[in-house]
Each structure stands twice: as C-alpha cells, then as structure tokens.
Amino acid sequence: MAQERQQYQDLILKLLDEKQEIPTTDGLTIPVDGKAKPINQLEFLGMVEYESLVTEKWELTAEGKEISETGSHEARVFNAIPAGSEGISIPEITKIVGNAAKFGQGAAFKAKWISKTSTGNIVRAVDSITDQSQIDLTLIKNTGAHPDASVIAALKKRKLISPLKVTFYKVTKGIKFSTVIVKEETDITAEMLLSGAWKNATFKKYNFEAVGAPPSRGHLHPLLKVRDEFKQIFFEMGFSEMPTNKYVESSFWNFDALFQPQQHPARDAHDTFFLSEPAVCHDLPGEYLERVKKVHSQGGYGSIGYNYNWDIKEAQKMVLRTHTTAISSNLLYQLAQQKEFKPVKWFSIDRVFRNETLDATHLAEFHQIEGVIADRNVTMGDLIGVLHGFCKKLGMEKLRFKPAYNPYTEPSMEIFAWHEGLNKWVEIGNSGMFRPEMLLPMGLPEDVRVIAWGLSTERPTMIKYGLNNIRELFGHKLDLEMVARNPICR
Ligand code: PHE
C-alpha cells in the first residue's frame, strides 16, 4: 500500500514536471485506493494543488456483468445451435442455455441470426455473429464509459448498467513543487544544532487538525460508577452522607445497639469476622450501655426484652462490620444527644463483611446502600412512598413488599422490583421501621420514628453490566479491560 502510494505520487510529480498540469487523474495507470490521500499528502507538503472533479461513470449491474462474461442471450442461443446441422429443437436449446432461451430466441430471430425449418427445428441463418452487447459492456466494464451516448441509453434501459459517481482530481504545481519528496524533519535535534544542518532542513508543518492519541488514564470501577449514580439520587432527594470510613466496629454498635440479642446466629463466627487485634473495644458510652443492657435483659419502654444475661464482653468484641446499619445506630445515638431533635435524612454506601461460603453470587465482602429517615410520626406509608420515589429514579417503577424479620425493625419488609429485562420480580433490598427498644434507650423523643432500608451495590451493578459471576466484578479475577471498556450506565 505504502509502495503503491509512493508510485502514484512519483507519477503525479513526473507528469506535472512534463506538462505543468494534470487536467484529470482519470485514466492514470496506477490504481490506488482512496486516491485523495496520496495527493492530499503532496498538497500538505506544498508540492501540488488540486481540485476535486466529480465524474459520472457507469458500472455493470449483476446481469450486465453476466453478459460481459458469457455473452448476450441471443449470442448464447446462436452458439447453442451446432453449425451446418439440421438444427435443434427449442426444448434442446433451453436445456443448454436455460433462462437465456426465452429472450435470446426472439432477439436472435430479430437479428436474423437464426431461422426455423419446416420440421420446427431452429438452424443458424448466418455463418458468424458479432455480439455487440458483450463488446459494449466489456468496454464499459474496463473504462466506465462508452463513446456512443445512444448505446449508454439503451443499456441503461435494459438495466445492464447503472450510474456511478467517481472523484478524480485536477492537479497543478504547488509553491514547493519538486520531483522528489524531501524527508521532512519532525523535531529539531541537538545534532542538527551542532552541525548546522537545521539551516537547510525542511521541517514538517504542524497539523493542528490531527486527532491526538488518547492519553492513558485510570478508569472507575463499575461499582464506583453505580455508587455515584446512587449518591446522586440521594442528593437529589435531600439526603446527606454518613461518615462510613471505618471497616472495624464494636459488636455493640453493629449488634447490641440494634437490639440484636447476643445469642443471635448472625453473631456467630460462622457469619461474622471477629478481630484478634484489637480484640476488644473499651470506648463504649457508659450510661447508654446500661440502658441497652437493661432493655436486652429485662425489657422496658413497653417491651419484655429477651430475658437473658447480657454480657458486656460480647458487646466489646471487635468485628468487621456486617452491615452499614452499624454506622446508622451510632449516628442515631449521637442525634439523640443533641439538645433539640431535628429531623434527618441520611444515606451511606460502603463496604461490609460477612463470613460467607463463596460462590458465584457471594463474596465475603460487598457494598451496602442504606437510607435512613428520622422524623416525628413518620409511618410505614412514608417508607413505602420514599422507596417508590427512590426506585423510580433507578428506573424501577413496579415494587412489591413482603413481610420480613430483622431484630432491629418492626415491621420489616423485603423489597421486590419488577425487572423488565429478566421478566420477573427480583429482590432488591430490605427495609423497616427501627424498634422502640433500639431508639428509646438512645434518648430519642418518643414520637420520633426512624424508617430505613438497605440494598447491595453489587446486585444492580451485575444486572446493569450483564455479569453473572460476582468474581468478574470484584476480586483478583477482575478483568481490567472490562473496567476500561464499560461506560457509565443509567
Ligand atoms: N441492615 C440490613 C441488612 O444488612 C438492611 C436494613 C437496613 C434493613 C435498614 C432494615 C433497615 O440486610
């Protein structure tokens, strides 16, 4: 290709040197794809100037091509008849030339190439024929044109040729015309400066039109892109973000403050990662701790509690937080310590850890999205309404709720959304109203209700990016190309 281009450029320069001007490049002997490019290059170097000439040419249709290769129908009929014989029957001709027999026969009769004998056979009426259609079509095939306009009109009418626009160029000398293409320097080098060669060198012009090479850069992981989408939705709805920047939490905030009994199976080492260093937390709020102890062991605030011996040692155990609700409980306690209660709308999106059996849809760590609203007298109706508003912004219009159980919410609801693509209901999260046994020991006013919900980031991300295995999304099997390729998705 590069060599052909060079040959073409040399030819152009040679012709210009001889004749000053090339009126059209039509007919130049070297065929090059996209001839504009080599001429364009010469123009860029200032060696030539050019003008585009759009020319009407003709090309053969499929039928035209067939005729230029195998002859016209009438010629084929003529050729099918053996010379000097008693002729052959029409069915025999059809056997030899197929579909061409029908039109070919008529045309051959008209041209007086063939005639019929008394027996009904067809014989040759002349010794030889000139197949003018084939000759004309072959000429057009090779040159794109025919000197006789009436021939063009007739062939066009027979749908054997069709018009074709081709661009040629009128080329003239440019100000830097020369018959040799000089190598242009792209950079001025130390050697050129030392030797003085820069004085005679030709420098390549800057091409300000050129598209730059894409710079290498980092790419956001799909989970981060989806996190940003969620953040945006929460911000639009007037929520502010909770500080979740710690993975280690005491069992107290992760479980006890949430009225989750100390024997609860979730607090087992099978489900929770316990830390060995630091193994215990000494920084728990004293008075509140006593109230939590009391509500677990004896009840209060209208509850009978769980009736067991609450042990501070259990609450002090450090864990990798199993849900972001550990942050919510801590912040709700801080909210309760303010002099005057002010309603809040909070959200968080961050990583949590569970001692899971790993499979295609479970890892030991994932990301949770949590929304919390605390206000006087909010109801389950508010929760359902907020969830509808929230999910609508995610493109999920149809929701269903199913009663569920959480130690810290009552009532609790699982959230299902209708997935148009999968054509089924998919579980998207969990929600509920925090229990008085959780809120009242914190010191929140009695009429303050807190509604909350939680989702995972992984599930919507996998659905949106079409991934079936969570290991393709997170962990050492992650394909970095996938991260680079995938656009933001809505
Ligand atoms: N913490 C719950 C979970 O881990 C989610 C949730 C949050 C449920 C808030 C109710 C209220 O699944």
Side-chain angles (χ1 to χ4, degrees):
M1 184 64 217
Q3 199 192 339
E4 276 194 342
R5 182 183 301 168
Q6 175 83 49
Q7 278 176 2
Y8 192 77
Q9 288 176 335
D10 285 346
L11 177 68
I12 298 267
L13 295 175
K14 188 172 146 255
L15 288 173
L16 278 181
D17 195 37
E18 287 165 6
K19 305 186 178 146
Q20 305 302 314
E21 179 187 291
I22 301 171
T24 172
T25 53
D26 187 4
L28 286 195
T29 46
I30 301 169
V32 177
D33 272 346
K35 285 186 184 117
K37 219 169 173 196
I39 296 178
N40 223 328
Q41 272 184 346
L42 293 176
E43 190 226 28
F44 187 71
L45 296 171
M47 298 174 74
V48 307
E49 282 171 18
Y50 73 88
E51 244 173 71
S52 301
L53 311 166
V54 180
T55 319
E56 180 117 305
K57 289 266 180 183
W58 296 93
E59 65 177 348
L60 305 192
T61 61
E63 201 190 339
K65 262 182 218 148
E66 195 192 315
I67 290 177
S68 100
E69 277 154 26
T70 58
S72 65
H73 292 181
E74 53 272 33
R76 288 170 66 195
V77 167
F78 179 85
N79 290 331
I81 303 165
S85 67
E86 288 104 75
I88 56 174
S89 69
I90 291 173
E92 277 173 299
I93 293 177
T94 310
K95 229 184 252 164
I96 302 170
V97 302
N99 286 340
K102 211 170 162 208
F103 175 86
Q105 235 189 94
F109 272 121
K110 221 170 138 196
K112 301 204 164 61
W113 288 354
I114 57 172
S115 57
K116 214 180 219 167
T117 65
S118 54
T119 60
N121 267 5
I122 309 290
V123 289
R124 289 190 177 188
V126 290
D127 291 337
S128 66
I129 54 160
T130 308
D131 189 357
Q132 196 56 44
S133 304
Q134 185 179 29
I135 294 168
D136 290 339
L137 285 167
T138 308
L139 178 68
I140 293 169
K141 186 171 138 196
N142 295 335
T143 64
H146 195 284
D148 187 343
S150 65
V151 171
I152 290 282
L155 293 176
K156 194 182 157 206
K157 202 168 156 210
R158 283 171 66 191
K159 296 207 170 67
L160 299 178
I161 58 172
S162 60
L164 175 73
K165 282 209 165 46
V166 196
T167 308
F168 294 104
Y169 303 92
K170 175 185 170 187
V171 194
T172 50
K173 287 180 177 174
I175 37 169
K176 289 205 206 151
F177 179 78
S178 141
T179 48
V180 278
I181 303 169
V182 274
K183 185 179 170 283
E184 295 191 306
E185 303 295 344
T186 47
D187 284 309
I188 202 163
T189 62
E191 290 75 34
M192 287 161 88
L193 290 172
L194 281 175
S195 68
W198 65 272
K199 284 182 209 156
N200 300 318
T202 311
F203 288 95
K204 189 168 182 168
K205 267 202 282 179
Y206 274 114
N207 178 5
F208 293 106
E209 244 54 357
V211 182
S216 66
R217 68 208 151 93
H219 296 273
L220 287 179
H221 188 278
L223 282 173
L224 294 179
K225 290 184 218 177
V226 169
R227 184 185 70 180
D228 274 3
E229 294 288 330
F230 276 100
K231 274 195 184 186
Q232 206 48 49
I233 289 171
F234 276 116
F235 286 139
E236 277 168 23
M237 294 176 73
F239 283 70
S240 49
E241 190 168 5
M242 295 187 256
T244 48
N245 51 344
K246 52 175 175 182
Y247 292 158
V248 173
E249 190 54 271
S250 67
S251 292
F252 181 76
W253 292 113
N254 197 83
F255 297 121
D256 297 277
L258 289 160
F259 197 53
Q260 188 144 336
Q262 295 187 330
Q263 310 76 25
H264 192 280
R267 301 181 66 155
D268 203 77
H270 295 298
D271 292 290
T272 301
F273 290 114
F274 288 90
L275 262 72
S276 45
E277 184 63 45
V280 289
C281 171
H282 297 291
D283 184 22
L284 299 175
E287 263 179 69
Y288 171 51
L289 198 84
E290 285 306 316
R291 292 197 294 274
V292 170
K293 175 179 179 169
K294 194 161 169 225
V295 78
H296 276 245
S297 49
Q298 298 163 32
Y301 317 99
S303 168
I304 58 166
Y306 293 121
N307 195 13
Y308 72 100
N309 284 327
W310 187 86
D311 186 353
I312 186 163
K313 288 213 181 67
E314 220 28 74
Q316 284 175 325
K317 286 182 183 168
M318 284 296 215
V319 299
L320 287 178
R321 66 177 178 217
T322 63
H323 52 184
T324 44
T325 320
I327 302 290
S328 308
S329 65
N330 196 314
L331 288 190
L332 283 169
Y333 168 72
Q334 289 179 36
L335 181 73
Q337 306 322 299
Q338 304 277 258
K339 269 212 183 74
E340 200 188 323
F341 170 78
K342 283 207 194 78
V344 295
K345 285 159 97 177
W346 290 332
F347 78 94
S348 66
I349 306 176
D350 212 335
R351 195 174 296 187
V352 300
F353 306 85
R354 289 186 194 172
N355 198 354
E356 298 263 12
T357 311
L358 310 187
D359 63 27
T361 52
H362 293 89
L363 292 179
E365 55 193 302
F366 65 100
H367 296 78
Q368 274 192 333
I369 301 162
E370 183 153 323
V372 176
I373 298 176
D375 201 350
R376 296 186 192 274
N377 299 318
V378 283
T379 64
M380 286 301 276
D382 291 309
L383 176 58
I384 290 171
V386 170
L387 287 173
H388 272 290
F390 178 77
C391 291
K392 194 168 176 193
K393 284 179 185 273
L394 290 165
M396 297 183 284
E397 303 264 353
K398 281 192 261 171
L399 298 185
R400 265 186 188 173
F401 302 98
K402 185 174 143 190
Y405 172 78
N406 293 310
Y408 38 90
T409 54
E410 181 60 36
S412 311
M413 308 187 298
E414 274 169 7
I415 313 161
F416 289 80
W418 178 256
H419 192 286
E420 289 295 345
L422 303 177
N423 213 32
K424 64 174 185 190
W425 292 100
V426 290
E427 193 198 331
I428 59 163
N430 186 358
S431 64
M433 181 173 276
F434 284 137
R435 295 186 77 108
E437 291 98 323
M438 167 183 164
L439 301 180
L440 294 176
M442 290 177 170
L444 283 168
E446 267 191 45
D447 58 351
V448 168
R449 306 275 179 275
V450 181
I451 51 178
W453 69 97
L455 333 169
S456 87
T457 317
E458 277 73 0
R459 176 167 282 204
T461 306
M462 285 172 70
I463 292 175
K464 283 194 167 211
Y465 285 90
L467 303 171
N468 308 321
N469 193 324
I470 199 161
R471 296 182 187 102
E472 289 166 26
L473 179 67
F474 197 86
H476 67 282
K477 287 196 177 150
L478 177 84
D479 174 7
L480 289 173
E481 275 299 315
M482 180 279 284
V483 174
R485 257 191 335 264
N486 274 311
I488 292 172
C489 62
R490 290 240 85 205

